[in-house]
Amino acid sequence: MPDFGKPIAGFGVMLGGMFREPITEQYPEEKAPVAPRYHGRHQLNRYDDGLEKCIGCELCAWACPADAIFVEGAPNTDEERYSPGERYGRVYQINYLRCIGCGLCIEACPTRALTMTNEYELADDNRADLIYEKDRLLAPPPPGAEPTPQHKPARAVDYYLAQAGRAGEGDVPGRAGEGDVPGRAREGAEESSETPR
C-alpha cells in the first residue's frame, strides 16, 4: 500500500509558507543594514587636525596575502606636509579584484591609518575602476581642520605591471615595457641556454 504521508506533509509545508510574511529583500532599492563590525571597503584615516595617519611604511602591503596593496612612501617637507611623521604614502592603491577582505592589512597598520568601512557595494563593469587610488580611499578632512596640501596625482599607473612611480615624465601612462614585468625576461637580455647536468 503506498505511503501518502510524505506528500501530504510536503503540501502542508507549502500551504503554511503561502500565508507567511515574505522575507524577500528588495535590494538595491531597500538596503539591509550590515553588522556593525562588517569589513567592507578600506579607508585611509586622518588626525583631527586633517593630517594623514598613513606614514608610507608599507606594512599593510607586506601583510596582504593576496598582494592587493601597493604603497610608495615619500618624505614630507616643511613646504608640503601631509602627515606628522617624516614620511607619507605618496602612492596608495588597493586592487579590489584581488582583495579577499581578510583584514590583515588593518592589523599590520601601526598608526591605525587603514580601517575598513561598512560599504560593501564594490562591483563595477570596468576592471580598472576596481583599483582604488588614494583619492578614493582617503577620508575627507574633519570639520574645522586646517587645509592640508592637495595631492598631486602620482601618475596613471598600470597596477598589473607594478610600474607605480617608476616611469619618467615622458612615458605614456600604463604602457610600460614587458621587460619590467616580474617573471618575464627583459628585452635584449641574453638567457643562458645551458642547462645544469
Side-chain angles (χ1 to χ4, degrees):
M1 181 163 180
D3 182 16
F4 293 107
K6 291 182 180 177
I8 292 172
F11 282 121
V13 171
M14 181 190 71
L15 289 170
M18 286 176 63
F19 301 106
R20 283 198 207 128
E21 183 84 20
I23 58 171
T24 304
E25 294 177 2
Q26 301 300 322
Y27 180 82
E29 290 81 15
E30 298 174 13
K31 296 178 183 174
V34 296
R37 296 182 66 185
Y38 174 80
H39 283 184
R41 185 183 64 81
H42 295 76
Q43 176 176 286
L44 287 171
N45 299 309
R46 296 177 182 264
Y47 289 105
D48 292 336
D49 59 0
L51 291 176
E52 301 170 15
K53 288 187 174 183
C54 179
I55 56 174
C57 66
E58 303 177 24
L59 287 175
C60 52
W62 282 97
C64 181
D67 195 25
I69 301 176
F70 177 79
V71 182
E72 186 177 275
N76 279 309
T77 62
D78 292 334
E79 296 80 27
E80 291 186 355
R81 178 157 295 280
Y82 298 96
S83 70
E86 293 179 9
R87 292 167 45 93
Y88 73 101
R90 186 178 74 84
V91 178
Y92 201 104
Q93 297 175 340
I94 297 181
N95 185 345
Y96 281 105
L97 298 166
R98 292 182 178 180
C99 178
I100 59 175
C102 64
L104 290 175
C105 52
I106 307 302
E107 300 296 327
C109 185
T111 60
R112 295 289 293 160
L114 189 64
T115 54
M116 295 178 96
T117 65
N118 286 347
E119 186 180 333
Y120 56 86
E121 293 179 315
L122 295 170
D124 208 307
D125 58 357
N126 183 1
R127 293 175 63 86
D129 290 340
L130 286 170
I131 300 171
Y132 279 48
E133 300 271 347
K134 192 168 184 179
D135 58 343
R136 292 166 62 186
L137 294 169
L138 193 59
E146 294 182 13
T148 56
Q150 295 299 315
H151 282 282
K152 302 177 192 78
R155 65 185 269 290
V157 295
D158 191 340
Y159 181 91
Y160 305 103
L161 298 179
Q163 293 300 307
R166 292 188 189 165
E169 292 295 324
D171 293 346
V172 178
R175 302 290 303 271
E178 284 188 357
D180 294 325
V181 180
R184 294 188 189 171
R186 293 187 178 273
E187 291 182 16
E190 297 178 6
E191 294 184 14
S192 174
S193 60
E194 298 178 10
T195 56
R197 301 188 185 235

